[in-house]
Amino acid sequence: MPRWIPIFIAALLGLALGLVYGWRIAPVQYTDITPDVLRIDYRTDYVLMVAEAYRVEEDPMLAAQRLAVFGSEPPALIAEEAYDYARQTSYPADDLSLIQELMVALQAWQPILGTNQP
Amino acid sequence: MTVKPTLIASLFALLVGFGIGLAYAWVILPVQSVDAQPRVLRNDFKDDFRSAIAAAYASNADLERARSRLDQLGDPDPYQALSAQAQRMLAAGEPMESVQKVALLASALQEMQPVAIEPSATETPVPLNTPEETGQPPDSETDTAETPEPTTEAEPVSTSAPAMTTTPRPSRTPTPTLGAPYQLVGEDPVCDPELEEGLLQVVVTDLSRRQIPGAEIIIVWNSGEEHIFTGLKPELGHGYADFLMTPGVAYSVRMADGGTPASELSAPDCTTTDGEPYVGGMRITFQQP
């Protein structure tokens, strides 16, 4: 057997071990993340908070500003995604109603151009 | 004892391969963070979350739900985190209504804690305001589910499923009163040579004598007016605020939300044990009925 073969196999084995260790055993830990990578249930709960506040405040602009933490996605779309998830996962009817109310308000809301809108 | 050169070379190749693999997995193509939890959010986004939690609490008065949500942020002490945020918001000049909602939730949480923080009379506070100034769902452990970028090579893919849970149902308890008028319950001269001369200390509490952060106090004298806020010196109490009085000037102090004012306040004349005269201070307490 040529001498380089065991060396090559050892190198491949080391590479594989390094990948397994770096991806599986001790992967990079993220901190200081942005809300757009939150798990869908957390996102939905945040939208629910905004919806709860909206029911009293009745200020779609403020609600849209709060939803802007998720990035440049239209706030109505964010609310819609949350509503879909909440419906699929059988959120209580009251909560569904709150999110729906917010979703409808944001769909009808037209941001004023020229101002700081999300 | 002799070791074969091939074995040494193989071991070296193994280490080099491991190093390359590690560099690839950690630096070149690290796992991507998706399906993350709120506790790993950047601090400013955690502030956004706390504000949203406070706004929702101001609407539904459901403290259990608010607590459950605050737990998701992983703060060691949610009350301290809220108080500190209220102070940051005050300092940043954010709308008072938003600050009050955060402060209200902090106060509600504090009511669930057994001991209220009182400012120590022996501490020497540094005055913040002087007349010269013109003038702030689910509950689980942190583990970012990780999914590498799709490539043609074999890569680790995490398939952790989202928890199908919701936060507790609102109980529709009565909404705490925002802006209820305060009563003046204490007005005492303070002769302590350790304190700054003319120091006016104001403490604002609720009915349970728990201190209220973010409360606005208006101080008026014959040639000016100053607005100060409680909670900017948490080490002295979350309902504490202070102001430096000029000797010989009469001040009127009241809460911005209304209530009984303290009038004709002035720095008292005091004497040390050695008979040396100095200017003392005042300590007044407002309580929300």
Side-chain angles (χ1 to χ4, degrees):
Chain A
M1 186 172 67
R3 198 177 149 191
W4 60 269
I5 288 182
I7 298 172
F8 182 71
I9 291 171
L12 281 182
L13 184 65
L15 184 72
L17 287 173
L19 289 175
V20 169
Y21 188 82
W23 275 336
R24 284 287 188 188
I25 299 169
V28 173
Q29 296 294 316
Y30 287 91
T31 57
D32 294 345
I33 63 159
T34 52
D36 56 308
V37 294
L38 282 179
R39 215 165 63 193
I40 180 68
D41 50 348
Y42 291 113
R43 286 169 61 101
T44 303
D45 192 52
Y46 182 84
V47 175
L48 177 57
M49 293 176 214
V50 175
E52 285 168 352
Y54 174 75
R55 176 162 282 186
V56 172
E57 295 166 347
E58 295 183 337
D59 184 348
M61 192 168 91
L62 183 56
Q65 284 170 348
R66 287 182 174 135
L67 293 179
V69 297
F70 292 120
S72 56
E73 215 175 344
L77 189 59
I78 295 169
E80 200 176 318
E81 286 169 357
Y83 179 72
D84 288 344
Y85 177 79
R87 205 177 43 180
Q88 287 164 15
T89 52
S90 305
Y91 269 46
D94 281 359
D95 291 346
L96 272 176
S97 164
L98 283 165
I99 298 174
Q100 188 176 27
E101 198 178 307
L102 175 68
M103 182 180 71
V104 170
L106 289 173
Q107 283 167 346
W109 174 66
Q110 294 293 323
I112 302 161
L113 295 175
T115 60
N116 283 335
Q117 298 298 324
Chain B
M1 188 177 80
T2 57
V3 181
K4 287 182 181 177
T6 306
L7 183 61
I8 295 172
S10 297
L11 282 173
F12 183 73
L14 185 78
L15 287 175
V16 169
F18 186 80
I20 292 171
L22 211 54
Y24 190 81
W26 280 353
V27 181
I28 299 169
L29 190 61
V31 291
Q32 299 299 305
S33 177
V34 294
D35 291 348
Q37 299 190 7
R39 65 183 61 202
V40 291
L41 281 172
R42 215 169 63 198
N43 283 338
D44 54 337
F45 289 119
K46 282 189 175 182
D47 283 355
D48 288 335
F49 264 63
R50 283 190 211 96
S51 291
I53 293 167
Y57 172 70
S59 299
N60 62 23
D62 189 336
L63 192 55
E64 271 312 304
R65 181 174 265 206
R67 277 178 63 92
S68 166
R69 286 167 168 163
L70 287 168
D71 285 346
Q72 295 167 20
L73 293 173
D75 297 320
D77 184 346
Y79 165 71
Q80 292 288 349
L82 283 167
S83 297
Q85 181 174 338
Q87 290 148 24
R88 283 196 300 275
M89 291 169 78
L90 280 173
E94 291 193 31
M96 200 56 211
E97 192 183 348
S98 304
V99 180
Q100 277 185 324
K101 284 175 181 170
V102 174
L104 179 70
L105 180 54
S107 297
L109 284 179
Q110 195 187 25
E111 282 178 18
M112 300 177 78
Q113 296 180 358
V115 181
I117 302 164
E118 291 289 342
S120 166
T122 58
E123 287 185 83
T124 305
V126 180
L128 180 75
N129 305 88
T130 63
E132 290 74 26
E133 289 176 353
T134 53
Q136 159 178 213
D139 186 17
S140 52
E141 291 300 309
T142 305
D143 59 333
T144 50
E146 292 140 346
T147 305
E149 295 281 350
T151 68
T152 53
E153 295 183 17
E155 291 176 16
V157 176
S158 172
T159 56
S160 63
M164 302 298 183
T165 54
T166 60
T167 46
R169 298 283 308 115
S171 57
R172 305 292 174 199
T173 49
T175 306
T177 310
L178 275 172
Y182 291 82
Q183 290 178 340
L184 177 66
V185 295
E187 182 180 329
D188 306 299
V190 177
C191 285
D192 183 350
E194 297 292 316
L195 294 177
E196 194 90 16
E197 291 197 346
L199 184 68
L200 171 64
Q201 303 176 74
V202 185
V203 177
V204 181
T205 70
D206 61 11
L207 186 59
S208 309
R209 301 187 64 77
R210 290 186 171 87
Q211 299 197 16
I212 299 174
E216 186 178 6
I217 301 154
I218 302 173
I219 302 171
V220 181
W221 62 99
N222 56 6
S223 60
E225 179 176 309
E226 182 69 50
H227 293 233
I228 62 176
F229 295 90
T230 59
L232 294 175
K233 293 180 179 175
E235 71 278 12
L236 298 174
H238 293 280
Y240 174 88
D242 60 25
F243 176 83
L244 269 189
M245 298 184 288
T246 304
V249 176
Y251 296 89
S252 171
V253 182
R254 64 183 170 85
M255 300 300 299
D257 288 336
T260 323
S263 304
E264 295 298 318
L265 294 175
S266 59
D269 294 325
C270 301
T271 312
T272 64
T273 51
D274 300 335
E276 291 289 320
Y278 69 95
V279 178
M282 292 289 296
R283 180 183 173 89
I284 60 176
T285 306
F286 289 103
Q287 191 177 68
Q288 195 172 33

